[in-house]
Amino acid sequence: MVNSEGARRREQRRGPVLRRHGQMQQGTTDQHLLDTRGTADWVHEDPFRVLRIQSEFVEGFGALAELPPAISVFGSARTRRDSPEYEAAVAIGRGLVEAGFAVITGGGPGAMEAANKGAMEAGGVSVGLGIELPFEQGINPYVNLGVDFRYFFVRKTMFVKYASGFVVLPGGLGTLDELFEALTLVQTKKVTRFPIVLFGSAYWGGLVSWIEETLVAQGKVSAHDLQLFHLTDDVEEAIGLVTKEAGA
């Protein structure tokens, strides 16, 4: 039998982490902090990333905690300014502010810019939650409260936590990602009273048909799940649906 003193020599505890045998490290945490200079590689390692993630949550919560009731508006960064979609997004942003809501977008160009423009021109709170990307512009000029994030999952938490519902305009993979995450959260009752409105039947109609004719038909989701969202082409109806269910 190994005595307790011998066992202690073969294990190492650093906070909540236990190391034994070949996983043991030389020195102590304080020693590494105070005595070693070395390279800056540690700022790219996972334990330090946890602190960055924590700081992003803290910054986001701090910036958004005092928002009035808000609606997140999603859509393509590639939506052209001379397109009907852009004008619809401006009208939606304006209408949401007039209904008493702040507007939250991804802070980028296209449909996001349009919704922020409508919100700012209506004198409301126009929020942009940006993301660090190698190929996309920064926060658009119609945002009056902006937060930039490194991590998608932190940003996505803010979209849901500080919004009472989603309006989803035509968009690409990022828009689909947000849409299906929201649908999943509502379906699994992680969030309640969270209306989701798809704007543009010509664009979303094929997706809705696929959900109905494939997912529901094969029993992958229930017919009741079709009630998790609304589809409309009317700006006023979109605003009415999302604000009424959100409890304005």
Side-chain angles (χ1 to χ4, degrees):
M1 180 180 293
V2 178
N3 63 39
S4 59
E5 183 63 30
R8 282 196 295 271
R9 284 198 295 268
R10 285 193 289 274
E11 72 177 32
Q12 179 184 62
R13 291 182 180 273
R14 289 186 172 173
V17 179
L18 170 67
R19 294 181 181 274
R20 289 176 174 156
H21 311 301
Q23 294 299 311
M24 293 173 65
Q25 297 176 338
Q26 295 297 315
T28 66
T29 302
D30 283 341
Q31 180 184 355
H32 283 287
L33 173 65
L34 298 173
D35 287 352
T36 55
R37 295 183 63 86
T39 69
D41 290 347
W42 63 276
V43 303
H44 304 294
E45 295 175 355
D46 286 343
F48 184 72
R49 288 192 179 99
V50 171
L51 297 179
R52 279 184 169 170
I53 292 165
Q54 179 182 353
S55 72
E56 289 210 345
F57 276 113
V58 171
E59 290 292 341
F61 292 159
L64 304 175
E66 296 182 357
L67 275 185
I71 301 295
S72 288
V73 180
F74 297 101
S76 176
R78 305 181 187 187
T79 299
R80 294 170 56 91
R81 288 176 178 167
D82 60 356
S83 69
E85 289 173 18
Y86 189 96
E87 291 305 315
V90 172
I92 288 170
R94 181 184 305 114
L96 289 173
V97 168
E98 291 171 351
F101 286 80
V103 171
I104 303 173
T105 79
M112 295 175 281
E113 175 189 285
N116 286 132
K117 179 180 179 180
M120 192 182 78
E121 290 179 346
V125 180
S126 178
V127 180
L129 305 182
I131 186 70
E132 182 182 285
L133 293 175
F135 52 81
E136 197 166 290
Q137 302 174 25
I139 300 290
N140 70 66
Y142 299 104
V143 167
N144 51 35
L145 176 59
V147 184
D148 269 318
F149 295 92
R150 286 188 179 93
Y151 301 100
F152 268 112
F153 59 89
V154 179
R155 178 186 187 230
K156 288 160 74 173
T157 299
M158 303 302 158
F159 279 131
V160 177
K161 178 173 174 57
Y162 292 104
S164 303
F166 284 178
V167 176
V168 189
L169 291 104
L173 295 178
T175 303
L176 290 169
D177 178 44
E178 297 294 351
L179 168 61
F180 279 101
E181 177 147 8
L183 289 171
T184 301
L185 290 172
V186 177
Q187 182 200 48
T188 57
K189 301 189 185 304
K190 295 293 185 181
V191 295
T192 57
R193 297 189 68 197
F194 200 88
I196 300 168
V197 176
L198 303 180
F199 186 86
S201 59
Y203 190 86
W204 295 114
L207 176 63
V208 174
S209 295
W210 176 76
I211 292 173
E212 187 171 9
E213 297 168 9
T214 302
L215 297 186
V216 174
Q218 295 185 16
K220 301 299 190 292
V221 300
S222 70
H224 181 75
D225 290 330
L226 292 170
Q227 299 176 29
L228 298 177
F229 59 87
H230 306 276
L231 178 63
T232 184
D233 293 306
D234 183 81
V235 168
E236 294 302 321
E237 183 180 22
I239 294 166
L241 286 167
V242 77
T243 56
K244 180 180 178 181
E245 290 194 26

